[in-house]
Amino acid sequence: MGKGKILLYDTKKKFFKILKYAFKKDFVFDVYSDITDFEALLDEYSSAVFVIYSESNLKEFMRVSQKGVPIIVCTSKQEIFEKLKDINEIFLYDCSKIKSEMVVELKNYFSFEQFVFHSISIQ
């Protein structure tokens, strides 16, 4: 089984450094700071990760969030976390945790997401 491809929207590329190092054996991350052509990219990725630092990032996410791809939304801002907590279609992740804790939790999520995605594809 090849590496999974994940679209990563990270305008500051801080989270990308953690993911790239921690998951380099299992996934390929393509980083975007502008996702104007998000719809055209969907077929290439098994999931998407949005790192939201600001209200403008949140607006960009909301514009593309209903496109049918498993999405992780990462933020350390409590007010943004509160705005998104009731959206069932996303996995909301608090990235204010320490790096080692984030890696373990995300590893579990990616393993589960790949299993679910693969199971749905087989049926």
Side-chain angles (χ1 to χ4, degrees), residues 41-94:
L41 298 171
L42 286 180
D43 292 337
E44 299 177 33
Y45 298 96
S46 58
S47 62
V49 177
F50 284 80
V51 184
I52 300 179
Y53 299 102
S54 66
E55 286 291 325
S56 65
N57 293 148
L58 178 60
K59 288 177 188 172
E60 187 70 11
F61 164 72
M62 296 305 282
R63 184 179 68 78
V64 299
S65 65
Q66 303 299 321
K67 303 300 182 188
V69 169
I71 295 177
I72 302 173
V73 175
C74 306
T75 188
S76 60
K77 304 232 181 249
Q78 190 61 35
E79 61 275 6
I80 292 174
F81 200 89
E82 288 298 316
K83 288 179 182 180
L84 296 173
K85 72 179 182 179
D86 293 327
I87 300 175
N88 292 328
E89 294 79 25
I90 63 172
F91 176 72
L92 189 56
Y93 190 75
D94 179 4

Side-chain angles (χ1 to χ4, degrees), residues 1-19:
M1 186 174 183
K3 290 184 179 185
K5 281 185 73 175
I6 297 176
L7 180 146
L8 177 61
Y9 174 77
D10 185 357
T11 57
K12 296 183 181 180
K13 297 184 179 159
K14 292 179 180 179
F15 205 64
F16 168 65
K17 293 174 185 173
I18 295 170
L19 293 176

Side-chain angles (χ1 to χ4, degrees), residues 1-5 23-28 114:
M1 186 174 183
K3 290 184 179 185
K5 281 185 73 175
F23 299 102
K24 63 185 171 191
K25 292 180 183 175
D26 301 311
F27 298 100
V28 174
Q114 270 196 324

